[in-house]
Coordinates of all heavy atoms in Angstrom, one line a residue:
T33 N 113.6 102.9 102.5 CA 113.3 102.1 101.3 C 114.1 100.7 101.6 O 115.3 100.9 101.8 CB 113.7 102.8 100.1 OG1 113.0 104.1 99.9 CG2 113.4 101.9 98.9
H34 N 113.5 99.8 101.5 CA 114.2 98.4 101.5 C 114.2 97.7 100.1 O 113.1 97.8 99.5 CB 113.5 97.5 102.5 CG 113.5 98.0 103.9 ND1 114.6 97.8 104.7 CD2 112.6 98.7 104.6 CE1 114.4 98.5 105.9 NE2 113.1 99.0 105.9
R35 N 115.2 97.2 99.6 CA 115.3 96.6 98.4 C 115.7 95.1 98.6 O 116.4 94.8 99.6 CB 116.3 97.1 97.6 CG 115.9 98.7 97.2 CD 117.1 99.2 96.4 NE 116.7 98.8 95.0 CZ 117.4 99.2 94.0 NH1 118.5 99.8 94.1 NH2 117.0 98.6 92.8
A36 N 115.0 94.2 97.9 CA 115.3 92.8 97.9 C 115.1 92.2 96.6 O 114.4 92.7 95.7 CB 114.2 92.2 98.9
K37 N 115.7 91.0 96.4 CA 115.6 90.3 95.2 C 114.7 89.1 95.6 O 115.0 88.4 96.6 CB 117.0 89.9 94.7 CG 117.6 90.8 93.9 CD 118.9 90.2 93.2 CE 119.5 91.3 92.2 NZ 120.5 90.7 91.4
I38 N 113.8 88.7 94.6 CA 113.0 87.6 94.8 C 113.6 86.5 93.9 O 113.5 86.7 92.7 CB 111.5 87.9 94.4 CG1 111.1 88.9 95.4 CG2 110.7 86.7 94.5 CD1 109.8 89.6 95.1
R39 N 113.9 85.5 94.4 CA 114.4 84.3 93.7 C 113.5 83.2 93.3 O 113.7 82.5 92.4 CB 115.6 83.7 94.3 CG 116.8 84.7 94.5 CD 118.0 84.1 95.3 NE 118.9 85.1 95.5 CZ 120.2 84.9 95.8 NH1 120.6 83.7 96.0 NH2 121.0 85.9 96.1
N40 N 112.3 83.2 93.9 CA 111.4 82.2 93.7 C 109.9 82.9 93.4 O 108.9 82.6 93.9 CB 111.1 81.4 95.0 CG 110.7 82.1 96.2 OD1 110.9 83.3 96.3 ND2 110.2 81.5 97.1
H41 N 110.1 83.7 92.3 CA 109.0 84.7 92.0 C 107.8 83.8 91.6 O 106.7 84.2 92.0 CB 109.4 85.6 90.8 CG 108.3 86.5 90.5 ND1 107.3 86.2 89.5 CD2 108.1 87.8 91.0 CE1 106.5 87.3 89.4 NE2 107.0 88.2 90.4
A42 N 107.9 82.7 91.0 CA 106.8 81.9 90.5 C 105.9 81.4 91.8 O 104.7 81.2 91.8 CB 107.2 80.7 89.8
Q43 N 106.7 81.2 92.8 CA 106.1 80.6 94.1 C 105.4 81.7 94.9 O 104.4 81.4 95.6 CB 107.0 79.9 94.9 CG 107.6 78.6 94.3 CD 108.7 78.0 95.2 OE1 109.4 78.8 95.8 NE2 108.7 76.7 95.3
V44 N 105.8 82.9 94.8 CA 105.2 84.0 95.7 C 104.5 85.1 94.9 O 104.0 85.9 95.5 CB 106.4 84.6 96.5 CG1 107.0 83.6 97.4 CG2 107.4 85.3 95.7
A45 N 104.5 84.9 93.6 CA 103.8 86.1 92.8 C 102.4 86.3 93.2 O 102.0 87.5 93.4 CB 103.9 85.8 91.2
E46 N 101.5 85.4 93.4 CA 100.2 85.5 93.8 C 100.0 86.1 95.2 O 99.2 87.1 95.3 CB 99.5 84.2 93.8 CG 98.0 84.3 93.8 CD 97.2 83.0 93.8 OE1 97.7 82.1 93.1 OE2 96.2 82.8 94.3
S47 N 100.8 85.7 96.1 CA 100.8 86.3 97.4 C 101.3 87.8 97.4 O 100.6 88.6 98.1 CB 101.7 85.6 98.3 OG 101.1 84.3 98.7
L48 N 102.3 88.1 96.6 CA 102.7 89.4 96.5 C 101.7 90.4 95.9 O 101.5 91.5 96.4 CB 104.0 89.5 95.7 CG 105.2 88.9 96.5 CD1 106.5 89.0 95.5 CD2 105.6 89.7 97.7
D49 N 101.0 89.8 94.9 CA 99.9 90.5 94.3 C 98.8 90.9 95.2 O 98.4 92.0 95.3 CB 99.4 89.9 93.1 CG 100.3 89.9 91.8 OD1 101.2 90.7 91.8 OD2 100.1 89.1 91.0
R50 N 98.3 89.9 96.1 CA 97.3 90.1 97.0 C 97.8 91.0 98.0 O 96.9 92.0 98.5 CB 96.9 88.8 97.6 CG 96.2 87.8 96.8 CD 95.4 86.8 97.6 NE 96.5 86.0 98.4 CZ 96.9 84.8 98.1 NH1 96.5 84.2 97.0 NH2 97.7 84.3 98.8
H51 N 99.0 91.0 98.5 CA 99.5 91.9 99.6 C 99.5 93.3 99.0 O 99.2 94.2 99.7 CB 100.9 91.5 100.1 CG 100.7 90.4 101.1 ND1 100.3 89.2 100.8 CD2 101.1 90.4 102.4 CE1 100.4 88.4 101.9 NE2 100.9 89.1 102.8
G52 N 99.9 93.4 97.8 CA 100.0 94.8 97.1 C 98.7 95.4 97.0 O 98.5 96.6 97.3
W53 N 97.7 94.5 96.6 CA 96.3 95.0 96.5 C 95.8 95.6 97.8 O 95.1 96.5 97.9 CB 95.4 94.0 95.9 CG 94.0 94.4 95.6 CD1 93.6 95.0 94.5 CD2 92.9 94.3 96.5 NE1 92.3 95.3 94.6 CE2 91.8 94.8 95.9 CE3 92.8 93.8 97.7 CZ2 90.5 94.8 96.4 CZ3 91.5 93.7 98.3 CH2 90.5 94.3 97.6

Side-chain angles (χ1 to χ4, degrees):
T33 302
H34 298 278
R35 299 183 80 185
K37 278 193 174 185
I38 299 170
R39 297 179 185 199
N40 59 341
H41 187 266
Q43 292 176 323
V44 298
E46 189 176 332
S47 291
L48 290 174
D49 286 344
R50 282 195 308 258
H51 280 64
W53 184 86

